[in-house]
Amino acid sequence: MRITPNNAGLGARVEGIDLAQPLPPAGHRTILRALGQYGVLCFPGQDLDAPRLAAFGSRFGDLEVNVANLFHAPGHPEVMILSNERDAEGRPLGLNDAGQGWHTDMSYSTEIALANVLHAKRVPVRDGRPLGSTQFRNMHAAYDDLPAEVVERLEGRVAIHDFSKFWDMMRQRPGSIRGPLTPAQRAKKPPVPQPVFRIHPITGRRVLYCNPGYAMHIEGLERGESDALLEYLFRHQSQPKYLYGHAWAPGDLLIWDNIGTTHNAVADYAADEPRFILRVQVMATLDYAALAA
Ligand code: OGA
Ligand code: MN
């Protein structure tokens, strides 16, 4: 395996490995360490079907079945399909607006995610340039730069994260195919507390774990103070120095750290510019400090 960091603070390309083959323990450890260090790993030129993608992802933790579970690969509820394409009858093939807004996957869940794994099959291109990039922000660096008084004010505090914040925001967009959450879906995903700062299980360093997609308010603070602090944190983490954008190519398999980064899908392509991506969400269910050691 050759790992080439791109020197943006986030992101590295990993070549010389075929992820459709079973991953040996040494390769597993190398990938985990690199994930902690670089946050976003791109393995170009891969070709995995749904079961092989699930097999690769499940080496890193239990795979999540999305609560809304609108679109998944046949026979694989854990393999979600992200796409703006439609079948011959006009039915959507996938979720067409995944992640279009800054967020961290699964922060609305008591059990958090380690990583998301996306494998691009079709990528929109216009005038020779790929569209539909995925952007990331570095939450190790964002934590490191926080002023001491902000850290002090937030030390030991939790924020309440709510799945419906992002869902309802996406639903209001023109052309959304998301329906209202059913009472059963709502009941499965009640608002949950998450520490504002947490120790990253691979790096052992502190990260800012508070994203604008799901964080509603900081528990135990009066609403005005909570709103002001959240606004401060969201503005702080939006500085360009923390940003890294991934421009997709078909065959890319991207694995990103869902504890030490936030991300956003850029919606700059049209309905007739096809994008098709397979995805598995890896929950943080293993002892990563031990596995990466
Ligand atoms: C996701 C997500 C981004 C993208 O799958 O969680 O945010 O670019 N996707 O598709
Ligand atoms: Mn996401």
Side-chain angles (χ1 to χ4, degrees), residues 154-166:
L154 289 167
E155 190 64 62
R157 295 229 173 247
V158 302
I160 302 301
H161 291 235
D162 192 340
F163 179 75
S164 67
K165 182 182 184 188
F166 197 85

Side-chain angles (χ1 to χ4, degrees), residues 196-208:
V196 176
F197 308 134
R198 63 192 321 148
I199 306 284
H200 195 286
I202 302 173
T203 63
R205 290 168 52 203
R206 297 183 106 201
V207 296
L208 173 58

Side-chain angles (χ1 to χ4, degrees), residues 75-104:
H76 287 273
E78 75 285 19
V79 180
M80 224 171 123
I81 299 173
L82 312 180
S83 183
N84 60 348
E85 295 177 56
R86 290 174 181 265
D87 68 13
E89 277 78 52
R91 288 179 302 241
L93 293 187
L95 184 63
N96 68 348
D97 62 357
Q100 295 177 359
W102 284 98
H103 67 287
T104 300

Side-chain angles (χ1 to χ4, degrees), residues 38-232:
Y38 304 116
V40 186
L41 304 178
C42 176
F43 300 80
Q46 301 291 328
D47 186 10
L48 281 69
D49 56 10
R52 285 190 178 84
L53 184 66
F56 171 72
S58 63
R59 291 293 306 280
F60 297 91
D62 292 350
L63 300 184
E64 181 241 6
V65 174
N66 188 266
V67 58
N69 201 19
L70 286 174
F71 305 101
H72 56 75
H76 287 273
E78 75 285 19
V79 180
M80 224 171 123
I81 299 173
L82 312 180
S83 183
N84 60 348
E85 295 177 56
R86 290 174 181 265
D87 68 13
E89 277 78 52
R91 288 179 302 241
L93 293 187
L95 184 63
N96 68 348
D97 62 357
Q100 295 177 359
W102 284 98
H103 67 287
T104 300
D105 298 328
M106 307 302 302
S107 76
Y108 55 79
S109 164
T110 307
E111 181 175 76
I112 63 167
L114 173 78
N116 202 348
V117 185
L118 266 63
H119 183 28
K121 299 293 184 185
R122 291 186 283 283
V123 174
V125 175
R126 199 186 300 159
D127 303 327
R129 286 191 36 242
L131 301 172
S133 291
T134 310
Q135 301 176 315
F136 298 88
R137 289 173 175 161
N138 187 336
M139 294 301 115
H140 277 99
Y143 174 82
D144 289 345
D145 292 344
L146 280 175
E149 61 270 22
V150 174
V151 174
E152 213 167 285
R153 261 168 102 190
L154 289 167
E155 190 64 62
R157 295 229 173 247
V158 302
I160 302 301
H161 291 235
D162 192 340
F163 179 75
S164 67
K165 182 182 184 188
F166 197 85
W167 186 273
D168 291 344
M169 187 217 8
M170 297 309 297
R171 246 171 70 65
Q172 281 158 22
R173 295 225 190 142
S176 174
I177 56 174
R178 299 184 189 228
L181 288 177
T182 64
Q185 287 169 333
R186 194 77 190 87
K188 265 205 228 161
K189 292 292 168 198
V192 300
Q194 296 289 2
V196 176
F197 308 134
R198 63 192 321 148
I199 306 284
H200 195 286
I202 302 173
T203 63
R205 290 168 52 203
R206 297 183 106 201
V207 296
L208 173 58
Y209 191 78
C210 192
N211 68 84
Y214 296 116
M216 304 289 289
H217 62 269
I218 296 166
E219 204 169 58
L221 296 183
E222 178 218 310
R223 188 48 69 112
E225 189 183 6
S226 163
D227 286 352
L229 271 168
L230 284 183
E231 199 192 300
Y232 175 85

